[in-house]
Amino acid sequence: KFLSSALFEIKEKWIPCIQYELCYYAMEENGDEPAFRELPTDSGSLGQLWGMRPAFRAVWMLDSHRPYRTVNAGGDGPVIIQPRGNPSDFVGMRTIRPVLDCMESAGELTLDQCDQIRKQPTPIHRVLEMNRRGEVDPCRLGAAVEMCYPEFEQLFAREKRGRELVILHAGDYTTEFVSPLQTAAGESGVSCQMETCTASITEKAIGLLLNTNIRMVLLVIGPQALHHRHWSNLDYEFPVRNEKLLLPILLYPQGGRDRMVRVLQQRAPVLCSLPREEIQMEGRGVSRERLKEIMQKVMTDEQRDFQEMLGRIMSRLDERDVRLLLRVWSARTGGSKSRSDGRPARLLPRMWSALTGKGRSPDIKTPDDLLQAMMREGYITPGDLGELEKDMVAAGISFPVIVRDIPGVPDELQHPKTAVASIGPTGGEVEIPGFAKLTVPPGALQHDTTVTVSTLDVPGILRGPEGVSWTSGYPWSLDDAACPRELLDKVLFSPAVDVNLHGARLSGPVELQTWRPPGSEGMTCLLLKHYDGEGWMDITASTPHHIDSDVVSVSMLSFSPLSILWTPVKKVVEVGKMMVAALSSRTLNCWFSSYVHSDKDPRDVEFHVVCRDQQVKTDEYVQGFSRCGRNDARFDLYHGDMIEVSVSVREGQNRSDQMELRAAHCCDVTGQNVQMWLQRPDGKGFKGEVVIRTLRERTVCQFVFKERDYDPTNPVYESRASHDQHHKEAATDLSASPHKNLPTGTEAQPSGHGKQDSHPRSADPHQTVATARASSTGALTSPHPDVSIGSGRTQVLLINDEYTTTKGGVSTINYQLAQLLTHAGAAVC
């Protein structure tokens, strides 16, 4: 073996004149180590010293010429594309000695096979010989070339490298540097392991890098790593030249750098020439900032971008949000059972100390601390935000609100999730993976039906203007009716789900299944359901449901948005009433109208689209504007919903703008608006269409608009506008039963854009009672000018002390009684 190696050295290393010469002109202090003398590097000096002609050096010696590159075009299997032109003219790769060294060290080639390959006249022929004989795995050969000659790696078949990082060390500074570096890697989301080298560092590094699951080796070079036992005199030069695969880290004691660099240059000149990190060890651990700097250099662009994205996500949490999220995460990672005090039974001591504030030195205080802990425990893996999203939902933190404007976050995470399927009489399933599943048994649907299942961002509905958690909006508009905030911090959430059957009716119950939040053991489940036009109600007692260790299943016969939350057993009633009131205050039963400014500009016109809640009973707007269109929303909206308002002018331009709904603004007299400038196509009045959609392309409202007269002072326009407004208000106040049964003599006005739900809005008898007034003669007068009380209609005077609070008591019965009488055609006062 030695003779073969020596002959190979003469041909491949000494004749090409590598920059170092082995000389035994001096001995080190231990008496058994050779010293290396560095030779001059400029070609003139080399030519004078060695007598090499320029033509010889141009063929054999390394220079700065760029190799001729080609591409791997693929094929049926791994292939090696030959360089274009004559291989003998391909002078870029002048030796494959390091590649053969790697293959032999890894056991891929025997010494005899290496000798056979070396007989080929050129390096390219030797590579082709390896491939032709089939004695080498092409991907292993490609990995070896990637290490030794990265500029030629595109010529060889290679497997894609994994994400693993390896810290290779010889036992130096394990406590002060190696272990903290592994911890820093975990906090950065990089999978990392440690390897201790007891023999040849060269062979160990080669063996690790030939494993394509390993992306990079961090070679820690301390005083012990430079001991001669790690560097054999018969080893070829250190073969790894790819700085993307190997990062040397030189650790030296104070005053010892120069000597260690000199010894490293003697042991492995190529390794010494690679870019490296140098750290002076001062008897204490390396700072976290320095460790982070090293990790930033070894992370891929993808990992770096993901780390930056996570930092932005966590930076939007305040101290209370961190506690809420930490509680859920601790329950998930530390144990599944809960004790009577709400503490998870097997909660990690460090996490519980940070959560409760008990203990001498809590580890987790800031969002950055929490992020590092999650990354260190492997809870968050690069590119995967799934577990973090689930735990934020469970803690009552709006994940879509947090990530909506952060670059790099997938679009499906920025909005509520949706799944659609067609289900017929044979039954089927619709599932949002990881969140909810709807199971429809055979016979529940009589016809093929499109079923849509989507999640509902309840924390986004209840949050405050600057916060991201549901409690940041506390106390909403409830004041004294709100629970203590400390109690709300104990509430957990399952995903809120909305199921839409698009008008179809069920013949039997279906099952909705979702997950149970970590840490909810020993807590009581509350089911809150929303009905369009009627508000939120607690349906826990009236709805069959089943709770398992990690799943909750609800059996239902009709669908509206369903919120599932978990609360301490003794506070169920208190929390339930408060949640119904809070959600109702943030739910919007909207109507939209458009207004045009009556100025005399023949070209441009100021156009507003206004959103109001139905509790606003007036069309009055800013002075100078007149209404030109109106319609109700098809379904209820929520505080925080993003909608897109699109305006299309006939024979004119199209404009659109987005608006985030605010409950307080929509309940104001002037509403919440979108403003834009439009052009009159003919310089006169114009008309067109307004369409309001959610960002998921669901149509909220649609109506047409028309500017009746350009001159607002025209008395015909004023008279016509007043008549239209009076007629619309009368029709709205007299809207009757779900079957549109109006009083005798009143014509039903068709509407193609009304509410599309299973709970149509009826006339509010409370408004009738409130607006009825007694005349000076003692007779009752109707609030509706078109209807005369006593003209053939039954008159009912309803006297009560509680009315229309919709909480399930006497007031609700009185409200329903008034509705029933109104639907039957009576005049209720």
Side-chain angles (χ1 to χ4, degrees):
K1 179 177 181 180
F2 175 77
L3 181 58
S4 174
S5 300
L7 292 174
F8 190 55
E9 287 278 314
I10 293 172
K11 183 177 181 182
E12 295 279 347
K13 182 176 181 182
W14 293 357
I15 291 180
C17 189
I18 299 298
Q19 298 174 9
Y20 291 88
E21 179 187 16
L22 182 61
C23 300
Y24 289 90
Y25 71 95
M27 304 294 291
E28 291 187 345
E29 295 179 358
N30 56 15
D32 59 354
E33 285 292 314
F36 289 80
R37 179 164 56 89
E38 185 175 358
L39 298 178
T41 57
D42 61 285
S43 59
S45 300
L46 283 173
Q48 296 172 6
L49 179 62
W50 293 96
M52 299 294 180
R53 295 181 179 180
F56 181 85
R57 291 198 306 271
V59 173
W60 288 101
M61 296 177 61
L62 297 175
D63 56 24
S64 60
H65 294 167
R66 298 288 294 174
Y68 188 83
R69 296 173 180 265
T70 183
V71 296
N72 192 337
D76 295 334
V79 296
I80 299 176
I81 294 183
Q82 299 186 31
R84 297 175 182 177
N86 190 338
S88 62
D89 296 332
F90 187 80
V91 296
M93 183 188 290
R94 300 187 178 89
T95 173
I96 61 167
R97 174 187 51 80
V99 177
L100 291 175
D101 189 19
C102 289
M103 302 303 293
E104 184 182 1
S105 298
E108 292 291 320
L109 290 175
T110 65
L111 185 59
D112 292 339
Q113 290 171 334
C114 287
D115 290 339
Q116 182 67 29
I117 293 169
R118 288 165 184 159
K119 291 179 181 179
Q120 302 301 315
T122 67
I124 295 300
H125 283 112
R126 291 167 195 153
V127 171
L128 298 177
E129 175 68 10
M130 278 192 285
N131 187 56
R132 184 187 66 81
R133 294 168 64 91
E135 295 169 343
V136 180
D137 181 354
C139 292
R140 300 276 279 185
L141 173 62
V145 174
E146 182 184 19
M147 287 189 285
C148 306
Y149 299 107
E151 63 269 25
F152 296 101
E153 64 184 38
Q154 77 275 9
L155 300 177
F156 299 87
R158 293 175 300 117
E159 294 177 342
K160 184 178 180 181
R161 287 194 172 271
R163 299 177 178 271
E164 193 75 19
L165 202 69
V166 176
I167 304 175
L168 179 60
H169 65 104
D172 289 315
Y173 302 114
T174 302
T175 304
E176 297 87 347
F177 178 76
V178 178
S179 295
L181 182 61
Q182 185 183 31
T183 300
E187 292 175 349
S188 300
V190 180
S191 177
C192 183
Q193 61 179 352
M194 294 190 300
E195 290 281 348
T196 304
C197 183
T198 58
S200 170
I201 287 180
T202 301
E203 292 187 2
K204 186 67 174 179
I206 291 171
L208 290 172
L209 289 176
L210 281 179
N211 179 3
T212 53
N213 291 326
I214 295 174
R215 183 179 64 82
M216 192 175 192
V217 171
L218 305 185
L219 178 56
V220 180
I221 305 173
Q224 293 187 38
L226 292 176
H227 194 274
H228 67 87
R229 68 173 177 269
H230 297 300
W231 311 91
S232 172
N233 292 337
L234 296 181
D235 278 346
Y236 298 141
E237 182 56 83
F238 192 78
V240 183
R241 291 170 168 82
N242 193 337
E243 60 187 53
K244 294 183 179 180
L245 299 182
L246 183 79
L247 175 65
I249 303 176
L250 184 66
L251 306 180
Y252 58 89
Q254 186 173 5
R257 178 192 177 278
D258 293 342
R259 175 174 173 78
M260 287 191 62
V261 171
R262 185 171 60 254
V263 174
L264 177 61
Q265 195 173 40
Q266 295 171 356
R267 303 288 189 227
V270 171
L271 177 61
C272 187
S273 67
L274 290 176
R276 64 175 179 265
E277 294 290 322
E278 295 186 1
I279 301 176
Q280 177 177 314
M281 304 304 293
E282 301 176 347
R284 60 176 181 269
V286 179
S287 66
R288 292 184 63 181
E289 290 73 18
R290 188 71 176 93
L291 296 174
K292 288 183 178 180
E293 289 178 9
I294 295 175
M295 292 312 305
Q296 284 295 318
K297 291 184 177 181
V298 302
M299 292 169 64
T300 63
D301 292 341
E302 179 185 358
Q303 291 172 331
R304 206 173 289 114
D305 292 343
F306 184 74
Q307 182 77 6
E308 181 181 355
M309 181 176 63
L310 279 177
R312 291 188 179 185
I313 291 175
M314 302 302 288
S315 67
R316 302 190 176 184
L317 304 181
D318 59 21
E319 182 179 352
R320 183 178 295 272
D321 300 333
V322 170
R323 285 204 308 271
L324 294 174
L325 182 58
L326 179 60
R327 176 192 177 197
V328 175
W329 175 54
S330 302
R332 181 187 297 278
T333 58
S336 58
K337 295 184 178 180
S338 181
R339 307 189 324 183
S340 58
D341 59 0
R343 170 181 170 182
R346 298 191 299 276
L347 191 63
L348 300 179
R350 180 176 67 251
M351 299 177 187
W352 181 250
S353 175
L355 176 62
T356 61
K358 300 177 181 179
R360 297 180 180 178
S361 180
D363 288 353
I364 302 176
K365 299 178 180 179
T366 65
D368 187 55
D369 294 337
L370 180 58
L371 173 60
Q372 291 178 5
M374 288 180 169
M375 301 293 285
R376 184 171 57 247
E377 299 291 336
Y379 172 75
I380 301 177
T381 57
D384 184 8
L385 296 172
E387 293 301 318
L388 179 62
E389 180 186 17
K390 290 180 181 178
D391 281 358
M392 283 193 175
V393 171
I397 299 173
S398 177
F399 191 77
V401 169
I402 290 178
V403 304
R404 188 169 293 161
D405 58 349
I406 296 180
V409 177
D411 182 68
E412 60 269 16
L413 298 181
Q414 301 180 25
H415 307 283
K417 304 178 182 299
T418 301
V420 181
S422 180
I423 300 179
T426 58
E429 293 181 348
V430 186
E431 182 175 8
I432 301 176
F435 282 84
K437 181 173 72 172
L438 179 70
T439 303
V440 181
L445 290 171
Q446 300 302 313
H447 307 283
D448 289 344
T449 304
T450 299
V451 180
T452 303
V453 178
S454 57
T455 58
L456 185 67
D457 184 17
V458 170
I461 297 173
L462 297 176
R463 72 183 184 95
E466 302 297 331
V468 294
S469 68
W470 77 285
T471 58
S472 62
Y474 179 89
W476 304 283
S477 57
L478 308 183
D479 299 327
D480 295 339
C483 298
R485 190 159 187 169
E486 294 72 18
L487 172 61
L488 302 186
D489 288 344
K490 299 179 181 180
V491 176
L492 297 175
F493 294 83
S494 294
V497 182
D498 185 14
V499 178
N500 190 351
L501 301 181
H502 301 279
R505 295 188 177 276
L506 293 170
S507 301
V510 299
E511 182 181 71
L512 177 65
Q513 186 180 87
T514 187
W515 46 259
R516 181 177 181 177
S520 62
E521 294 78 8
M523 303 179 75
T524 298
C525 175
L526 279 175
L527 305 178
L528 306 181
K529 191 174 182 180
H530 171 256
Y531 297 94
D532 275 353
E534 297 184 19
W536 290 84
M537 296 183 182
D538 184 351
I539 62 169
T540 309
S542 60
T543 304
H545 59 281
H546 178 71
I547 301 174
D548 293 321
S549 58
D550 57 353
V551 173
V552 56
S553 302
V554 182
S555 179
M556 307 190 74
L557 279 168
S558 62
F559 288 104
S560 289
L562 178 68
S563 177
I564 305 175
L565 57 143
W566 304 78
T567 181
V569 176
K570 296 181 180 180
K571 300 294 183 179
V572 175
V573 177
E574 185 178 355
V575 172
K577 289 183 177 179
M578 185 275 304
M579 286 295 297
V580 167
L583 285 170
S584 297
S585 70
R586 295 296 184 96
T587 302
L588 299 171
N589 182 8
C590 294
W591 57 281
F592 293 85
S593 53
S594 59
Y595 294 85
V596 60
H597 193 277
S598 302
D599 57 17
K600 298 184 178 181
D601 191 333
R603 297 182 56 188
D604 297 328
V605 59
E606 188 175 357
F607 187 81
H608 293 187
V609 177
V610 182
C611 175
R612 296 184 178 97
D613 187 76
Q614 289 287 353
Q615 72 181 37
V616 180
K617 300 298 182 181
T618 179
D619 273 344
E620 295 180 2
Y621 194 53
V622 180
Q623 185 176 2
F625 283 83
S626 57
R627 195 186 76 188
C628 57
R630 182 192 191 281
N631 202 0
D632 291 341
R634 299 182 180 182
F635 48 86
D636 282 358
L637 298 170
Y638 303 100
H639 173 86
D641 278 354
M642 293 292 298
I643 59 174
E644 182 176 49
V645 179
S646 300
V647 179
S648 176
V649 179
R650 179 171 294 186
E651 300 179 359
Q653 79 273 35
N654 299 327
R655 293 288 305 277
S656 65
D657 199 356
Q658 292 184 358
M659 175 169 60
E660 182 177 359
L661 295 180
R662 297 293 181 185
H665 296 169
C666 294
C667 294
D668 188 71
V669 174
T670 57
Q672 184 175 354
N673 63 53
V674 168
Q675 305 178 10
M676 57 186 69
W677 286 99
L678 299 177
Q679 293 181 352
R680 295 187 177 94
D682 53 3
K684 298 180 180 179
F686 69 107
K687 57 186 176 182
E689 182 184 36
V690 175
V691 179
I692 297 99
R693 296 185 180 92
T694 65
L695 296 187
R696 286 295 187 177
E697 298 297 326
R698 188 180 179 189
T699 301
V700 176
C701 182
Q702 182 179 11
F703 61 89
V704 296
F705 63 89
K706 181 178 181 180
E707 186 183 21
R708 297 279 180 139
D709 275 310
Y710 172 59
D711 186 358
T713 61
N714 189 331
V716 176
Y717 172 74
E718 293 293 335
S719 174
R720 185 182 301 152
S722 300
H723 176 270
D724 290 345
Q725 180 175 354
H726 171 75
H727 178 77
K728 181 65 178 180
E729 290 173 351
T732 301
D733 288 339
L734 288 176
S735 60
S737 68
H739 301 290
K740 308 292 183 184
N741 295 323
L742 299 177
T744 304
T746 303
E747 180 181 357
Q749 300 293 330
S751 175
H753 307 294
K755 293 271 183 174
Q756 297 179 353
D757 53 59
S758 56
H759 302 277
R761 188 175 298 104
S762 59
D764 188 352
H766 178 61
Q767 180 69 13
T768 307
V769 175
T771 56
R773 296 290 183 268
S775 66
S776 58
T777 59
L780 288 174
T781 60
S782 170
H784 310 302
D786 295 342
V787 178
S788 173
I789 295 180
S791 59
R793 293 185 64 190
T794 301
Q795 305 170 38
V796 177
L797 176 63
L798 182 61
I799 302 175
N800 58 79
D801 60 347
E802 291 185 42
Y803 189 75
T804 192
T805 60
T806 67
K807 292 185 177 180
V810 175
S811 61
T812 303
I813 296 176
N814 293 334
Y815 178 73
Q816 293 172 342
L817 175 59
Q819 282 185 312
L820 180 63
L821 293 170
T822 302
H823 294 167
V828 181
C829 303

